[in-house]
Amino acid sequence: MVHVKKDWSSNMAIAQPQNNPDLLAGENPYEEKVVNIDRVARVVKGGRRFRFRALVVVGDKKGQVGIGVSKGADVTAAVSKATQVAKKNLHTIVIEDGTFPHEAQAKVSGANILIMPASPGTGLIAGGVVRIVLEVAGIQNALSKSIGSSNKINIAYATLEALKSVKPRSEWIVQPQRRVRTKKVEKVEAPKAEDKKPATEKKKAPAKKTATAKKTSKPATKKDKK
């Protein structure tokens, strides 16, 4: 009897992309942008060990954006790790007419970012990391201002926190409620028999106090006893 090994790899390769139509078409639904790459060093007994740290922003330009930071022995490894971290930490933001409904401000460490909505046709008036995060998120018109530190990692996370704090109009617009006036009807209770008093009965005037001095009794002396 000949034992035949089954090849499961072909079945798995066919079944995997069926869940996602974008992967089936060979397209990546997310746009990946490498914002910054730094060379970092770790001091050990034999000297310094150099590695690379990558900052990557991932988004689908439809309201989802994520940020990833990771290290690797080379640039390629650092970028691939940071991309995976960003895809695992995607956040959904509010977009209305290519911008956000209201302004927002967030502070992360020393970075302080202020973002404001803009009218159609304004474009993205932002620079550096803030512009990349807004583009990948799908925002077309916005104003921004960086107030604090110039650290790129902190600026990226501060921009993301500001976008997450934006709320849709349905949550911050309160519709006026109509007031319904209701008339209160008070019940009139009939007086009890005990409370009824004859109308002819007059109130007695309080008795006047007499100003007679009270005689104090003195103790009897020996003469009085005789």
Side-chain angles (χ1 to χ4, degrees), residues 2-195:
V2 180
H3 183 69
V4 180
K5 293 183 179 180
K6 293 182 179 181
D7 187 9
W8 297 99
S9 59
S10 59
N11 296 332
M12 293 175 66
I14 295 173
Q16 187 175 1
Q18 287 181 354
N19 298 328
N20 195 335
D22 296 324
L23 295 178
L24 185 62
E27 298 177 359
N28 187 5
Y30 299 106
E31 184 177 352
E32 305 167 3
K33 285 196 175 184
V34 180
V35 179
N36 188 34
I37 295 175
D38 292 326
R39 192 181 73 167
V40 295
R42 183 178 63 179
V43 179
V44 293
K45 188 176 181 180
R48 290 183 180 180
R49 290 186 180 179
F50 293 99
R51 302 177 72 191
F52 294 92
R53 181 180 62 192
L55 172 63
V56 178
V57 180
V58 174
D60 61 351
K61 290 192 173 182
K62 295 179 182 178
Q64 284 191 337
V65 62
I67 298 173
V69 180
S70 186
K71 299 176 184 177
D74 55 351
V75 177
T76 308
V79 170
S80 62
K81 286 181 181 179
T83 305
Q84 292 177 2
V85 173
K87 287 182 179 180
K88 290 179 180 179
N89 298 318
L90 289 173
H91 299 277
T92 303
I93 63 173
V94 180
I95 299 178
E96 293 183 2
D97 298 331
T99 184
F100 26 85
H102 61 87
E103 64 179 22
Q105 187 173 2
K107 184 177 180 182
V108 174
S109 189
N112 194 352
I113 299 298
L114 172 65
I115 56 175
M116 294 170 286
S119 59
T122 306
L124 288 176
I125 301 179
V129 184
V130 181
R131 186 184 186 90
I132 295 174
V133 175
L134 295 179
E135 280 182 356
V136 171
I139 296 172
Q140 301 173 1
N141 305 295
L143 307 173
S144 70
K145 179 68 177 177
S146 179
I147 303 171
S149 171
S150 60
N151 187 295
K152 293 183 178 180
I153 296 176
N154 291 338
I155 289 176
Y157 280 107
T159 307
L160 182 60
E161 289 297 325
L163 291 174
K164 287 164 59 179
S165 64
V166 175
K167 296 183 179 180
R169 295 178 184 271
S170 59
E171 295 186 9
W172 55 271
I173 292 182
V174 180
Q175 296 180 355
Q177 296 179 356
R178 295 181 180 178
R179 295 182 179 179
V180 180
R181 295 181 179 180
T182 57
K183 295 182 179 180
K184 294 182 179 179
V185 179
E186 297 181 356
K187 293 182 179 180
V188 180
E189 296 181 358
K192 297 180 181 180
E194 298 178 357
D195 298 338

